[in-house]
Amino acid sequence: MSDSLKARVREKLLRQLSENGGHPVEEVESDDPRLVAIDFDLAALEEVSEDDPLVEELATKYWVP
């Protein structure tokens, strides 16, 4: 697989958001803790480099191969 782990985790998080009702920032009244957690993790992922331990931690948390 040519995609980096970070890219696969990002894809999984975006898919989770889509499947669970969208992006909390777009839904002002959404207080679904699952969506908020996914949004938080996605924002954190965007802030780190490919080799940061957080990438591996999120891959484990969201079961990304």
Side-chain angles (χ1 to χ4, degrees):
M1 187 174 279
S2 62
D3 288 335
S4 69
L5 180 58
K6 184 176 177 179
R8 294 193 315 268
V9 171
R10 180 182 304 114
E11 180 181 324
K12 174 74 180 239
L13 291 173
L14 292 172
R15 187 170 56 245
Q16 290 267 146
L17 281 175
S18 174
E19 291 172 356
N20 289 305
H23 201 277
V25 172
E26 295 170 359
E27 298 177 13
V28 176
E29 296 186 24
S30 175
D31 60 352
D32 184 337
R34 294 171 303 150
L35 295 178
V36 172
I38 294 169
D39 190 53
F40 178 80
D41 288 343
L42 185 59
L45 180 68
E46 296 299 328
E47 298 294 320
V48 299
S49 64
E50 179 68 44
D51 59 347
D52 192 283
L54 179 65
V55 176
E56 186 69 37
E57 180 181 323
L58 292 175
T60 302
K61 179 177 179 179
Y62 290 98
W63 296 9
V64 177

